[in-house]
Amino acid sequence: MDLAVWQIVLLVLLAFYSIIDSLSLNIGCQYPVIIGTVTGAIMGDVTLGLAIGATLQLMVLGVGTYGGASIPDFTTGAIVGTAFAAISNQNAEFAIGIAVPVGLLMVQLDVLARFTNTFFLHRVDKNIEMGNIRGVKRNILLGALPWGLSRAIPVFIMLIFGKSVVNFIVNEMPDWLMGGLKVAGGILPVVGIAILLRYLPTNKFVAYLIIGFVAAAYLNVPMLGVALIGVALAIIYFKQSIKAVPVMAGSNITMDGGENEDGEYED
Amino acid sequence: MDLAVWQIVLLVLLAFYSIIDSLSLNIGCQYPVIIGTVTGAIMGDVTLGLAIGATLQLMVLGVGTYGGASIPDFTTGAIVGTAFAAISNQNAEFAIGIAVPVGLLMVQLDVLARFTNTFFLHRVDKNIEMGNIRGVKRNILLGALPWGLSRAIPVFIMLIFGKSVVNFIVNEMPDWLMGGLKVAGGILPVVGIAILLRYLPTNKFVAYLIIGFVAAAYLNVPMLGVALIGVALAIIYFKQSIKAVPVMAGSNITMDGGENEDGEYED
Amino acid sequence: MDLAVWQIVLLVLLAFYSIIDSLSLNIGCQYPVIIGTVTGAIMGDVTLGLAIGATLQLMVLGVGTYGGASIPDFTTGAIVGTAFAAISNQNAEFAIGIAVPVGLLMVQLDVLARFTNTFFLHRVDKNIEMGNIRGVKRNILLGALPWGLSRAIPVFIMLIFGKSVVNFIVNEMPDWLMGGLKVAGGILPVVGIAILLRYLPTNKFVAYLIIGFVAAAYLNVPMLGVALIGVALAIIYFKQSIKAVPVMAGSNITMDGGENEDGEYED
Amino acid sequence: MANMKTEANMINKRDLMAANIRWLLCSQICWNYERMMSTGYLYSILPTLQKLYKGNDLKEMMGVHNQFFNTNPMVGGLILGMDMAIEEREKKEAKEVITGLKTGLMGPFAGVGDTIFGVIVPTVFGSIASYMALKGNPTGVMMWMLVNLLIIGLRFTLLPLGYKQGAKLVTEFADRLNALTDAAVLLGITVVGALIPTVVNAKVAYVYKSGEVTLKMQEMIDQIMPSLIPVLLVALVYGLLGHKKMTSTKAILFVMVLGIVFYNLKILG
Amino acid sequence: MANMKTEANMINKRDLMAANIRWLLCSQICWNYERMMSTGYLYSILPTLQKLYKGNDLKEMMGVHNQFFNTNPMVGGLILGMDMAIEEREKKEAKEVITGLKTGLMGPFAGVGDTIFGVIVPTVFGSIASYMALKGNPTGVMMWMLVNLLIIGLRFTLLPLGYKQGAKLVTEFADRLNALTDAAVLLGITVVGALIPTVVNAKVAYVYKSGEVTLKMQEMIDQIMPSLIPVLLVALVYGLLGHKKMTSTKAILFVMVLGIVFYNLKILG
Amino acid sequence: MANMKTEANMINKRDLMAANIRWLLCSQICWNYERMMSTGYLYSILPTLQKLYKGNDLKEMMGVHNQFFNTNPMVGGLILGMDMAIEEREKKEAKEVITGLKTGLMGPFAGVGDTIFGVIVPTVFGSIASYMALKGNPTGVMMWMLVNLLIIGLRFTLLPLGYKQGAKLVTEFADRLNALTDAAVLLGITVVGALIPTVVNAKVAYVYKSGEVTLKMQEMIDQIMPSLIPVLLVALVYGLLGHKKMTSTKAILFVMVLGIVFYNLKILG
Ligand SMILES: OC[C@H]1O[C@H](O)[C@@H](O)[C@@H](O)[C@@H]1O
Ligand SMILES: OC[C@H]1O[C@H](O)[C@@H](O)[C@@H](O)[C@@H]1O
Ligand SMILES: OC[C@H]1O[C@H](O)[C@@H](O)[C@@H](O)[C@@H]1O
């Protein structure tokens, strides 16, 4: 293996940046075809990078990380695959053979990064309590570390120790932890939701919680549809409230005024 | 070709009437098997007309013009097909071979007729503004013309110029116009709906507009189901209104009266 | 045939009890594998009973009598089948060949039992009117008779007259009655529902009757989902009522109190 | 208001019959894409309007009845009858009630009527007639025409029936006309909400293709929201109609051109 | 009203146990098509009724509890318990609350109970028992019966649980009993609305055939409205029951005859 | 309240720009399973908060903005902008309105944004770039990056747009703030109700097998109620959080352990 040190540094930085880019600017470094091209340039073989990136890109077209789901990270795969193919003078097919298992392995590390950041979240909570605004800011920004390192470290290790390490890790990772973390990742949002429910005046509007639930769970209405229902119910509630208020104040005149305001239909 | 003039006249009138009948009395002249029989009678061969009409009828069983959709007009097809078969001593199969393309061609003219009548609609609008009631009436009744002529004229032309003209028209009609008109026909009802929304006190009840939309678009509830939902919501609204009104007037007694009136359940 | 009298007596009692058990204690005597075992014990061949019962059990796994639907009664089938197989020294397969038609025949008698009990229901009604509580109790408990006899009598007859009688009945039962009763059974619950609707203040809440109907008929929401919708609407109605009442009494203070009580969210 | 509720029953049997005949003959005679059966309805109720209103009121109410309306003509007389009863009692006051009712009932009546008179009857009698006709026997054809005549008779009974129902409605709730109006309008607007995805027919034809990758635009749009295009079109025309100089003629021309342009750009189709 | 709320806790543990046993043994004992488990419910609550009411009140409340009721007997005790707590406090006042609650809860409880005790338990233990039985081993059968005994124990806990919940309900909302009543009735009626298409089983068997044309009547009717026949039947019987001389016995005979006639005319089936 | 509504427009263009840049760069930077984008939102609005609040108010409002939030980052600026306008006018009073709005809008915005920027754009430009790349041509890659830069420009317009809409909202309904608050909260809670079955991912892996009998537990549970497990989990954690000593850290550890245990017991998976 004859990767130059500067190449290793650049590729590790690239891996770090690619995930951060996808979370922020999104100039495209999260996409295999783009990252493959850049890696190709670093390795001195743009055409190879293009070919590898393009093949991987076509494999993930339209697969996005919605709702925080973890997907195969063929972007990191493209970096490692292109690097190995270039130094061993192999073709794109060889690179894909490396990139795919790497991409699958990265799913686990993505889950880990998403976990780890709850640590900073809770430090943010604490700093809020203490009124330490700089602490709040610092801890939020530190969230970038788990993200970046979740890509940079494995790329670094793989570039140093080679392809065999990939297989080793894939095989030796204990299932009880990996599978367990995946399940935990699936159900963890209940904490955020429960906090939100405690936070909102849920009791007062529990009927609408049920309605939203029935719409999504029984009728499979997608989110925008549920929100439309919510908007309709909110409007009805709003109109009733402003109708009721003047009555309490004992004035019929305001009441009528309120009515007229609603209808654009006057003759 | 040896069609007698009186035959041409009768067939053209029949074509004119058949569409008008379907819009009004509906004694059945819109149906191929009936119109085929009548055409057969005019051509002096009822059995042939029966056979042609019946075959075409079985091809459109249960296909109706719902919501103003245009469907293949095998009724007009039956007239032309039967006429040609009779004068050329051909069998029913020959007639069907003519009737089907004619029926398909007529779709375009049906669209055209439905378009043209917006012209009379707007003249009705204007006459309403001017308070000219006779003008209102006249323009509504004139709506029969585009309908009738949309069948009479092509039948006339075809009877005169023969089968070849059918093919010519079918082939030479520019697609940009035909396709364009079809699309335009599909979206034109938005104008009527938008006018209706401007006309109704939509703002006051916009929540229910959304509910109706969600029911139909997301949940695929058919119209009667939506109306049932609407009736339920209207009843709820109505009961709330009549409950609220007496309160404003400051009288509890009326209120209770209102309550009792609803429930049949008194003991 | 050499069934001992005590065997006949026990088997008939078992048949009587098996259905009663399924309606009350449910210790399991409604299930073929259990009843087969018991029958086997009575006949002196537990293994045979186990085999027959198990085979029949696997045929009805997960088939339950929901909403009062009648299902093939392989439990009674298991009694008769096991008994016949034992006395004629035949194997389980022979028994299944008897049990299955018996089970199907019993569907009709199940329907009959469910019918017959409307007789006692109406006597309960009458005794309520007369204030005769003992009569009420007696007639309710008498409901056990049609149930038990619907199993005991056919088992008795079959044990006495043998297998041929089963076929005879299955074939000779007039269809006009059997089919008619089945249809009648399907629509009879309308009486109970209609009485309930007369009984409840339906007019006052007819909107919600429609909503429940639309949910079940158009949107296929299962019962629990409909109840969730009902609960949501009931809560909304409830909150509105208790909000409205104080206003009528002319006191704003109570009103606000009512509001606060709902929300747990106070700051 | 100057409602002249003096003459108790201004609408008599002859008026009902006249409306019935007009509805029978002309309900669809001026059918068009913009407001479908509005003119047919207006024509049928016109004599009644002339009886009930004068001058500007008449103009206004003619306008009211020239709004978007579409139902199955076989059963639509029921709505017409209800309307006549309500207007007879409440006159112009009922403007919104009847618009609400007309809009709210037209949809479900279309569904029911189309199924019975547009599918069941023609399928049953059309197939009988056809199979007999194939054997050279015109009896089935006669039979079907006879049935159609009977149906005409039936249709005549619906309008008076509606009239009675409408009368019941107004006598029962006359003192709560405002609430009734709101309820009717609410129903109407609910149905209009459902009309948008039902009546407007706009499918995006555009399919993105690149190598083996294809992306059906309509599917993407459905994922954002079903019937998004119809909603946007209605919103667009609704907005346009808010401008002073915009007339419905201009709006319809605009939509026609839009349709043709979109078709030729292969956007809609 | 003359509610005697003097004795604070009239229903004691023994009463709960008595109701529990009755429910266990007799909830379905007089099951019938007309009102399903009404009698079982009445029988179970009868001792409580006798404690709480006298004379005409008692008669009335027996009538109240002899209305259409159907739920899964395994979990139904929960409803019974709630009812007992509510009636204890509010007596006859609670008539509508409890009818609403009973009607509103019976449906979902049936669904949950039937799935757990009608599908899961018998499938799991039935299959174990069967496979062991096929090998001549009765252990699985024993095991299943044991489980059933345990379930009986479980069932005994539900009624007291419901009693506590019901008590909570009434103490929390006692001062707003009217609102609570309305809410409960609303829930009940919503569920009845859903019962109609769920419980009533009426499929039109008629299929029109002519040559190669077939028209399934049920499909046509579904196109008009799903569950149209059940709705019409309920409306019919509801109407019948409005007549003075109509009794439920007559209604049931009428419906039976209807069923037989419709079957033999091949209309339903 | 001590709202200082003196300085009419405390938030200026620079503030909007600052929020925009922070949102662009940091909305997801601290993304985590517990509250997803809460920190990103907090970070973006922090300068605004510091302008509007002091002392305990500031602490409280930071807490408000560190609640569960998740939307598509491309279009989320719109929500942020609305929020800023509302808080500027109503300060702490608006606490619930904004929580309601944020919760109510995040879901649909996620759906729309993900479809457009997560599916359509990458599919179209990704496929173009790939097919060109396969031929050794990097132009497609350049093009895609250019498009992404254009999208960044677009994103900058959304926050000011939201700010204007929010301003409109508060000026229109300022005198009815309570009603507006309730409406917003209602919307938010409706969406949370739908979040539970959508965001929480818990499938029961357990399959009962005995001979040829298999019983998929998840199917049984779905028969009782869809998304029953997510509902129970939310209820469990909601209950836990009611205890004095329970912190969100403990809750999250608890849920993590639960996940691992359930996985290894083969209950969930
Ligand atoms: O689905 C909304 C949103 O959820 C998470 O925050 C991430 O997966 C984003 O990429 C996505 O846009
Ligand atoms: O669908 C209702 C109605 O729509 C249009 O007016 C026509 O197509 C009628 O034939 C049809 O009955
Ligand atoms: O479905 C609820 C219930 O309905 C009837 O009462 C019987 O079939 C019971 O076995 C069942 O539990």
Side-chain angles (χ1 to χ4, degrees), chain C residues 65-69 114, chain E residues 28 31 37 70-73 110 114:
Chain C
T65 160
Y66 316 128
R114 290 170 189 273
Chain E
Q28 297 189 92
W31 199 103
M37 292 165 64
N70 190 45
T71 196
N72 179 278
D114 284 354

Side-chain angles (χ1 to χ4, degrees), chain B residues 65-69, chain D residues 28 31 37 70-73 110 114:
Chain B
T65 159
Y66 315 128
Chain D
Q28 297 188 93
W31 200 104
M37 291 164 64
N70 190 44
T71 196
N72 179 278
D114 284 354

Side-chain angles (χ1 to χ4, degrees), chain D residues 204-229:
Chain D
V204 173
Y206 182 68
V207 175
Y208 169 80
K209 275 206 178 195
S210 163
E212 294 187 3
V213 178
T214 61
L215 195 73
K216 290 189 187 149
M217 225 39 203
Q218 184 59 50
E219 282 176 13
M220 284 300 112
I221 291 171
D222 285 345
Q223 216 160 305
I224 297 178
M225 181 170 123
S227 298
L228 180 58
I229 305 294

Side-chain angles (χ1 to χ4, degrees), chain B residues 24 26-27 31 57 66 114 117 122 125 129 143 147 175-176 186 188 192 195 198-199 201 213 261, chain D residues 24-25 29 31 34-35 59 64 66-67 74 96 119 130 144 148 155 176 193 201 238 248 252 263-264:
Chain B
S24 57
N26 198 45
I27 59 174
Y31 296 114
Q57 183 69 50
Y66 315 128
R114 290 169 190 272
N117 271 343
H122 293 149
D125 278 347
E129 256 171 60
W147 279 118
D175 173 69
W176 71 262
L188 257 181
I195 295 174
R198 283 249 160 236
Y199 185 78
F213 174 78
E261 204 155 342
Chain D
L24 184 75
L25 293 177
I29 213 73
W31 200 104
E34 184 181 326
R35 294 188 225 149
K59 280 191 202 177
V64 166
N66 201 19
Q67 293 304 324
M74 302 289 172
E96 284 178 281
V119 179
S130 296
W144 191 5
N148 286 335
R155 288 170 73 178
R176 303 153 178 177
N201 193 347
Y238 184 86
S248 75
I252 209 157
Y263 172 76
N264 287 289

Side-chain angles (χ1 to χ4, degrees), chain D residues 141-216:
Chain D
V141 169
M142 307 286 168
M143 232 173 73
W144 191 5
M145 292 183 76
L146 202 77
V147 167
N148 286 335
L149 289 177
L150 292 177
I151 289 175
I152 291 177
L154 182 79
R155 288 170 73 178
F156 270 96
T157 65
L158 292 178
L159 193 145
L161 183 67
Y163 181 74
K164 260 178 235 144
Q165 292 306 317
K168 235 174 86 182
L169 205 67
V170 278
T171 35
E172 255 176 53
F173 299 116
D175 49 330
R176 303 153 178 177
L177 191 63
N178 279 334
L180 187 64
T181 304
D182 279 352
V185 171
L186 188 164
L187 170 61
I189 287 184
T190 307
V191 168
V192 175
L195 272 185
I196 298 172
T198 313
V199 171
V200 183
N201 193 347
K203 287 267 167 256
V204 173
Y206 182 68
V207 175
Y208 169 80
K209 275 206 178 195
S210 163
E212 294 187 3
V213 178
T214 61
L215 195 73
K216 290 189 187 149

Side-chain angles (χ1 to χ4, degrees), chain D residues 117-128:
Chain D
F117 298 105
V119 179
I120 299 182
V121 171
T123 305
V124 171
F125 292 97
S127 60
I128 295 175

